[in-house]
């Protein structure tokens, strides 16, 4: 035996049950049970004894479960875990690669044996042992220290240890045939069971290492969630759930950086009592012009539905366009931002310093907030939609609480809400996808509860107080759906059916249960007016909108106040589609805003008019429960601002006044659309009448006067930038440069 030969350079060979497949000195041979595919403890002991000499005391291995843990009970207090790891590698001389691992035989060894190993390591040289305790492993991985090792003689209390035996085989054999093997450079190395992990991009070399990497990622997610960014965010799932849904290849997204920028922008406005103001952008021209003056960009589903669907089929905002429509527009605009940012850098860094100091710098990378409508279906559809948004460049996404089946523009009639719990699920699904992708995308929760007239279901108690019911006992047993069905069977159609429905609703005396109870208490003849007022106050205290009591609880309170027999039925007036009647209000929006706040970053109440009183009520109601909530407001072009009753001065002050209430993001959804239409229509009309003079007066001169870069449209589109590309490719010169010799003379310039 060569007692002092370094272990790491030993050559090993394999034996099949029938024949030896490599000629190696018997003193350097380890036997392998090819059928069982594991190295037994006996063979391990024989190998260690053969090459390390007879140990005193002898090795006493104790096999344990392959799912070895440090926390498992030791067979003996003096024993410490010992694990044999068996890796298969590719034969470099073969075209077949074998990248899978492993067989593992966890064992227990005595401390004395460990010390003997350390002594042998000092004698042979070149052997390294792991110095870290089990509790240090997760910290090492988080710090990225995957390879730190210390010499065996650095500490007298080191405990090991696992022997690692690496081999390869000739591929192409069936599993039931003898495994032919060739001699290879292998190693027997001493390292602790569950040692610091290999690269996260490699196939795990040990089950324990795979689990260690997973646990480290769980810890990383938990640490991320503990930052200030997510201090107010609640999740019904754990960091382990997120890690389980991730792959082994970590990816990064440009939108993640833009999301952080958006968050900083909104928080800065919140601290200052101001607002980020923006509008819906249609195309790269608009998004680059907006960058000079605004700090965020909006992408409207309405604009996409009407001008840029994936199928090129325009239509109203019913969210019936392909669900990649808005993500595609986001990518269109985000790519334009990236391109003009590159183009500006090339231009500026090509200028002398003095000229660059005079040239204003434009931040083209303004965060994009995109319209996610209702999520386009169930939770899985929302997850896939949000994934697209992250991949395409969105820094923020908003989701609304309408039914995805009947979705309408916020300023159309016929809106149907989903239950509070269903929209919470949408928000959770979106947040989960963002967490899985490792991004901080800003999530905006919109509610249409102010103007909604229908709700999909009564399953959530938080919706009960706003659902309307029939209070006319004469309609008992005659539901609206049944009456309309009978009329259709009798041949009624169109206007006749509408007249029947209108008549039925007029006689139903629809109201909320709370209003019904108030009327019942006020109508009691057996009590004094003073007692009526006391009972009404008690009712308001017990069933105030912020308490969100269920209908069953409200009926118990009503019975206690002496109106148990009140007739109220919310099933009778249900529509033919099965929807319940809903009384929209700011109070309903507040209830929903409070429910959405723990799962969203910004809350948006859609309104039907620019009403400061409504804005104040919503902000006050939400902030009473969520004082740090950020709010958003749609400065809708659907409002008739001239008919709002505001003066020009009040209109000018509207954004700042609402911003002081906490509305940190304010936007005109369709301003890009309307501006495009206005300029095109007025110019086309004038051009038809006056020809080129109309263009010069309305467009070219105005571009020059206002310093609009599109005046030099070739430069704006990047001709100079790609001339730089050509010259770089061709060694610094190009005879085909777009802005070189041969370019048509032009007097176009932003300067006279």
């Amino acid at each position: 035996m060569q007692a002092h030969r370094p272990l790491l350079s030993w050559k090993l060979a394999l034996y099949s049950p029938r024949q030896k497949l490599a000629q190696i000195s018997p003193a350097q041979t380890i036997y392998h049970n090819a059928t069982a595919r594991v190295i037994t403890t006996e063979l391990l002991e024989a190998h260690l004894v053969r090459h390390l000499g007879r140990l005193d005391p002898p090795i006493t291995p104790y096999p344990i479960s392959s799912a070895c843990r440090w926390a498992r009970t030791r067979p003996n207090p003096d024993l410490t875990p010992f694990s044999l790891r068996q890796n298969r590698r590719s034969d470099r001389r073969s075209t077949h690669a074998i990248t899978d691992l492993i067989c593992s035989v966890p064992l227990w060894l005595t401390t004395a044996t460990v010390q003997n190993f350390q002594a042998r390591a000092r004698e042979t040289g070149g052997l390294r042992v792991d110095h870290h305790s089990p509790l240090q492993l997760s910290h090492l991985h988080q710090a990225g220290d995957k390879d730190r090792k210390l010499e065996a003689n650095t500490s007298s209390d080191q405990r090991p240890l696992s022997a690692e035996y690496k081999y390869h085989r000739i591929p192409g054999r069936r599993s039931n045939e003898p495994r032919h093997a060739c001699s290879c450079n292998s190693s027997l190395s001493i390292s602790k069971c569950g040692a610091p992990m290999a690269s996260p991009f490699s196939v795990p070399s040990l089950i324990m290492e795979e689990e260690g990497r997973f646990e480290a990622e769980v810890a990383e997610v938990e640490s991320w969630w503990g930052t200030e960014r997510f201090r107010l965010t609640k999740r019904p799932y754990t960091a382990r759930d997120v890690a389980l849904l991730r792959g082994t290849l970590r990816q990064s997204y440009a939108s993640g950086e833009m999301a952080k920028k958006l968050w900083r922008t909104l928080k800065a406005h919140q601290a200052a009592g101001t607002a980020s103001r923006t509008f819906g952008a249609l195309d790269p021209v608009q998004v680059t012009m907006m960058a000079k003056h605004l700090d965020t960009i909006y992408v409207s589903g309405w604009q996409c539905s009407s001008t840029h669907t994936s199928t090129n089929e325009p239509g109203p905002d019913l969210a019936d366009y392909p669900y990649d429509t808005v993500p595609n527009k986001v990518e269109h605009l985000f790519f334009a931002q990236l391109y003009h940012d590159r183009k500006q850098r090339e231009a500026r860094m090509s200028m002398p310093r003095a000229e660059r100091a005079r040239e204003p710098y434009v931040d083209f990378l303004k965060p994009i907030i995109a319209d996610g409508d209702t999520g386009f279906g169930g939770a899985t559809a929302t997850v896939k939609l949000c994934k697209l948004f992250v991949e395409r460049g969105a820094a923020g996404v908003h989701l609304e609480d309408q039914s995805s089946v009947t979705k309408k523009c916020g300023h159309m009639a016929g809106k149907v809400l989903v239950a509070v719990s269903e929209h919470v699920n949408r928000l959770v699904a979106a947040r989960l996808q963002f967490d899985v992708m490792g991004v901080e995308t800003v999530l905006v929760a919109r509610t249409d509860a102010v103007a909604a007239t229908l709700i999909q279901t009564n399953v959530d108690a938080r919706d009960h107080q706003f659902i309307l019911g029939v209070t006319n006992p004469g309609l008992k047993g005659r539901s609206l759906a049944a009456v309309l069905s009978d009329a259709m069977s009798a041949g009624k159609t169109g206007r006749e059916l509408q007249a029947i429905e209108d008549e039925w609703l007029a006689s139903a005396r629809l109201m909320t249960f709370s209003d019904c109870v108030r009327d019942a208490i006020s109508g009691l003849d057996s009590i004094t007016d003073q007692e009526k007022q006391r009972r009404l106050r008690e009712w308001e205290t017990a069933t105030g909108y912020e308490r969100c009591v269920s209908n069953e609880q409200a009926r118990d309170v009503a019975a206690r106040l002496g109106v148990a027999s009140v007739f109220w039925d919310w099933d009778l007036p249900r529509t033919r589609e099965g929807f319940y009647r809903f009384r929209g209000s700011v109070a309903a929006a507040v209830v929903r805003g409070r429910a959405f706040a723990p799962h969203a970053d910004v809350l948006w109440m859609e309104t039907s008019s620019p009403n400061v009183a409504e804005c104040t009520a919503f902000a006050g109601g939400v902030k009473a429960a969520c004082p740090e909530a950020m709010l958003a407001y749609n400065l809708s072009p659907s409002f008739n601002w001239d008919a709002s009753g505001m003066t020009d001065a009040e209109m000018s002050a509207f954004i700042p006044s609402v911003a002081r209430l906490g509305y940190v993001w304010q936007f005109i959804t369709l301003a890009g659309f309307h501006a495009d239409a206005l300029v095109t229509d007025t110019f086309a009309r004038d051009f038809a009448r006056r020809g080129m003079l109309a263009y010069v007066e309305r467009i070219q001169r105005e571009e020059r006067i206002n310093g609009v870069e599109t005046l030099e449209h070739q430069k704006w589109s990047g001709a100079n930038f790609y001339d730089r590309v050509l010259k770089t490719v061709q060694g610094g010169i190009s005879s085909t440069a777009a802005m070189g010799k041969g370019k048509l003379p032009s007097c176009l310039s932003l300067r006279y």
Side-chain angles (χ1 to χ4, degrees), residues 514-529:
S514 185
D515 287 344
C516 181
V517 170
R518 291 190 192 95
D519 288 351
I521 293 174
S522 299
L524 291 174
D525 297 328
S526 56
I527 59 175
T528 64
D529 289 345

Side-chain angles (χ1 to χ4, degrees), residues 272-290:
T274 55
S276 168
R277 58 183 78 179
T278 189
F279 58 85
L282 277 177
D283 54 43
V285 177
Q286 291 187 353
V287 82
T288 52
M289 296 301 108
M290 293 167 67

Side-chain angles (χ1 to χ4, degrees), residues 178-196:
R179 188 165 301 190
H180 293 251
C182 56
S183 116
C184 62
N185 288 328
S186 300
S187 65
L188 179 65
S189 61
I190 305 299
S191 62
K192 182 172 56 186
C193 182

